[in-house]
Amino acid sequence: MITGELKNRIDGLWTEFWTGGITNPLTVIEQITFLMYSRLLDMQERKDEKRAALTHKEFNHRFTPEEQTCRWETWRHYGAEQMLPHVRDKVFRHFRDLAARSNEQDSAFADFMKDAQLMIQKPSLLVKAVNMIHDLPLDSGDIKGDLYEYLLGKLNTAGINGQFRTPRHIIRLMVELMQPKPTDRICDPSCGTAGFLVETYNYLLAQHSSEAGRHTETVVNEKGETETQTVYSGDLLGPHRKHIDHDMFHGFDFDTTMLRIATMNLVMHGVAEPDIHYQDALSQNFVERFPKAAKEGFDLILANPPFKGNLDEHDIAPELLRTVKTKKTELLFIALILRMLKTGGRSATIVPDGVLFGSSKAHQQLRQELIDHNQLEAVISLPSGVFKPYAGVSTAIVVFSKGGRTDNVFFYDVQADGYSLDDKRQPIQDNNLPDVLAKYQQWSDRQGDFSDRTQQAFIVPADELRAQNYDLSINRYKQVVHAVVVHQDPREILKQMQGLEAEIVREMAELEGLLR
């Protein structure tokens, strides 16, 4: 958690960007990311230089002899008027040159920097930004992750990103439902800022830390309240470290800004080389460019895909159209995820409610595919206010496995997620999410009775779903208990009204007598 002086410095820098004419929060984060990248490049170069001096082994230098002035520790000492043109014309050119020199073994992040541009126009703002970033503890893995999450939290308060940012507590629920393992290959085909991937990494750290690898500290939160925070080192992940750093986390998006932020987000949390790529995963060329990822490449997929309406049918992968004949992205993404999963692989994906009950042939075709040819495990209906203030659309989490057989489907009707369902989304006491996790685990372990459909959690046999044209709307199956209301006899009500009327007439007569 970012608190105290560090939080104040970041807030102050944010204000400086705003007054300096950069008012788009996404641009602010992107510019800060560029500068962090420059510092991290130099920090890593220095580590490699020290290692090479000890081992006498060469390494791939990030800076040529001619590019030494592009190193953070060199140019950060420049004055304001010299620094701005140097960073704009030389440091950013070095980013592009580094991307051109990179190969498959180098960081994918370098490739995302090839069209990076410095948007800061005020020399004084650049100096302040550089000084603040130099003071950040970027060599501390724990604080780096908290720092970047705090920056991304600014997107929420700015209200510009309803289309790509999923509330963190919903992400955490989905990750905990899936219980990822350190041997999994995990993907988000529309990764945005990599929230699902980062939360998965945090989950693994918490699940694979020894007692000695856990550190509990008391911090003061933003409300000034004292709370306990546990930091997990993930010290038991040692045997899986290479896999985690290089082949566990995969993401695709077609927004370069998102890719930069997603990659930096994972790097700052401690993943050395996340596999993040510029790619429209629904496009025909996905299989050509990333054959290992596009077909049966992953054990787990977590996603909240963008539902932007219809696509150009000519650009959609034909194999997806054979699964579901449609142009609607919300249906195509489910077909895509099924294709990307290994047999036995699992997914938790957020879908708009229309996917659950849409009556078109394509909607029914997709639901039939999930139920008849795969294992549809759960439909968790979320309150319509979960994505406020950006959108009031009703959504659900669908959990499914590739292959297998669907016997029963677990339904849960979430009424409260721990926050008010208005535009303010203030914390409240009511929260069904812990119960969702507990009930789903009970059902998975074949424990408990879920036959009572008047409860929030219940199961529906697959045969019943088929009989209802594969309708997955929770309201189709949930039984509502209507409270018996006892009404007063109308004759008694009429008698009471007559008595009131008589009393009014009597009092009016008394009033008239007083006025004579």
Side-chain angles (χ1 to χ4, degrees), residues 7 14 55 66 80 146 148 163 171 187 204 207 214 227 273 278 283 286 325 365 374 380 396 403 419-420 442 453:
K7 175 181 177 295
W14 198 270
T55 62
E66 295 77 19
D146 290 344
Y148 216 70
Q163 75 276 20
I171 293 176
C187 182
L204 291 171
Q207 295 296 314
R214 301 180 183 189
E227 62 181 45
E273 292 284 342
Y278 181 90
S283 177
F286 185 30
K325 184 70 173 176
Q365 183 183 7
N374 300 278
I380 300 168
Y419 296 85
S420 63
Q442 287 179 19
R453 297 189 187 179

Side-chain angles (χ1 to χ4, degrees), residues 477-505:
Y477 307 102
K478 185 173 184 180
Q479 296 175 359
V480 179
V481 178
H482 298 284
V484 178
V485 180
V486 179
H487 297 286
Q488 192 176 4
D489 189 317
R491 288 169 293 191
E492 289 294 326
I493 297 175
L494 184 60
K495 187 181 294 185
Q496 291 175 7
M497 291 176 65
Q498 289 171 341
L500 287 171
E501 184 178 12
E503 186 178 351
I504 291 172
V505 170

Side-chain angles (χ1 to χ4, degrees), residues 43-243:
M43 288 171 62
Q44 193 59 50
E45 184 80 356
R46 289 176 184 276
K47 289 180 182 177
D48 287 345
E49 287 172 342
K50 291 178 181 178
R51 188 180 298 113
L54 294 172
T55 62
H56 305 290
K57 292 182 180 179
E58 269 302 314
F59 65 95
N60 292 326
H61 290 272
R62 298 161 186 81
F63 302 89
T64 65
E66 295 77 19
E67 294 171 337
Q68 292 302 305
T69 58
C70 296
R71 297 181 65 157
W72 175 271
E73 285 297 336
T74 299
W75 62 261
R76 78 175 183 87
H77 298 287
Y78 291 174
E81 297 303 324
Q82 182 185 4
M83 183 185 293
L84 182 62
H86 180 79
V87 173
R88 181 189 62 217
D89 301 332
K90 293 187 177 181
V91 174
F92 274 67
R93 186 176 65 196
H94 170 248
F95 292 162
R96 293 188 288 272
D97 292 343
L98 187 61
R101 296 198 300 265
S102 66
N103 54 44
E104 293 182 359
Q105 282 70 46
D106 288 326
S107 171
F109 195 44
D111 191 48
F112 305 146
M113 303 297 286
K114 61 187 177 186
D115 59 348
Q117 291 184 330
L118 182 68
M119 303 296 292
I120 299 173
Q121 302 297 324
K122 290 178 61 177
S124 59
L125 173 59
L126 179 59
V127 170
K128 289 179 181 178
V130 168
N131 289 337
M132 194 280 286
I133 289 171
H134 186 73
D135 290 336
L136 295 178
L138 296 188
D139 53 348
S140 169
D142 300 331
I143 296 181
K144 279 196 301 185
D146 290 344
L147 164 67
Y148 216 70
E149 283 186 17
Y150 183 71
L151 286 172
L152 291 177
K154 296 285 190 178
L155 295 177
N156 270 354
T157 59
I160 64 155
N161 63 322
Q163 75 276 20
F164 58 77
R165 187 164 170 81
T166 310
R168 188 175 175 187
H169 62 291
I170 300 298
I171 293 176
R172 187 179 299 115
L173 170 67
M174 294 168 67
V175 170
E176 291 176 347
L177 286 170
M178 294 293 96
Q179 298 181 350
K181 301 184 291 293
T183 54
D184 286 342
R185 294 185 84 241
I186 302 169
C187 182
D188 181 350
S190 54
C191 66
T193 61
F196 283 106
L197 302 179
V198 166
E199 192 59 41
T200 299
Y201 182 64
N202 289 337
Y203 173 87
L204 291 171
L205 290 177
Q207 295 296 314
H208 298 273
S209 292
S210 66
E211 286 298 322
R214 301 180 183 189
H215 172 65
T216 302
E217 59 186 9
T218 302
V219 298
V220 180
N221 62 24
E222 295 182 10
K223 297 179 181 179
E225 302 167 341
T226 301
E227 62 181 45
T228 300
Q229 179 183 4
T230 303
V231 177
Y232 301 96
S233 67
D235 55 321
L236 302 180
L237 289 172
H240 308 285
R241 193 72 242 180
K242 183 177 180 181
H243 172 67

